[in-house]
Every structure is written in C-alpha cells, then in structure tokens.
Amino acid sequence: MDEKKINVVGMHCPSCVAAVELCMTDLDGVEEAKADLETNTVSVKYDSSKVTDDDLAGAVEEAGFKVE
Ligand code: 9UX
C-alpha cells in the first residue's frame, strides 16, 4: 500500500473536508483518505497499481478543488 499527501486548495469547511475524502475513497484502489483543514492536505492510502497520481489529482479537481 502506498501513501501520499496532497496539497489541496479551496477547503474551507468540514463539508469540503468530507467531499475531498469521499472523492478519494470513491476511487477503486483507495483504502483511506484523511483531509485536514488546518494544513490543507489530504493523506491518501492507496494501491498504486490501481490508482495513479493523476487519478488522485483528477478526482480532487473534479470535486471542485485545486491540487497544488
Ligand atoms: Mo463548506 Mo466547501 O460551506 O466548498 S462545502 S466551504
């Protein structure tokens, strides 16, 4: 299992946090996603044979946030 921290721009409330986490865990191959409002990051545990970095970034952008 791989682990990665992504910087996410545009999270302003707990619903944003939930939305970011959900868009990650919706991907097949993502085991866990924990977003943090203080640090503007999401920590993702995933299987890199199933999910690419582009997939992760794309899901965040599709949810309406920006990846930095
Ligand atoms: Mo909260 Mo986030 O009211 O786009 S859901 S700011």
Side-chain angles (χ1 to χ4, degrees):
M1 197 62 56
D2 304 87
E3 202 157 355
K4 181 185 166 77
K5 206 171 250 190
I6 302 170
N7 293 309
V8 179
V9 181
M11 292 193 293
H12 302 297
C13 82
S15 297
C16 293
V17 169
V20 168
E21 289 174 347
L22 202 65
C23 80
M24 301 275 88
T25 52
D26 268 353
L27 296 174
D28 185 33
V30 172
E31 174 163 308
E32 190 185 321
K34 200 90 193 75
D36 188 307
L37 209 48
E38 301 290 311
T39 57
N40 291 305
T41 55
V42 57
S43 299
V44 196
K45 280 189 196 149
Y46 65 106
D47 181 348
S48 62
S49 70
K50 288 185 180 169
V51 188
T52 66
D53 286 0
D54 275 358
D55 292 334
L56 295 174
V60 171
E61 307 249 340
E62 213 165 288
F65 302 90
K66 266 197 79 69
V67 172
E68 213 171 46

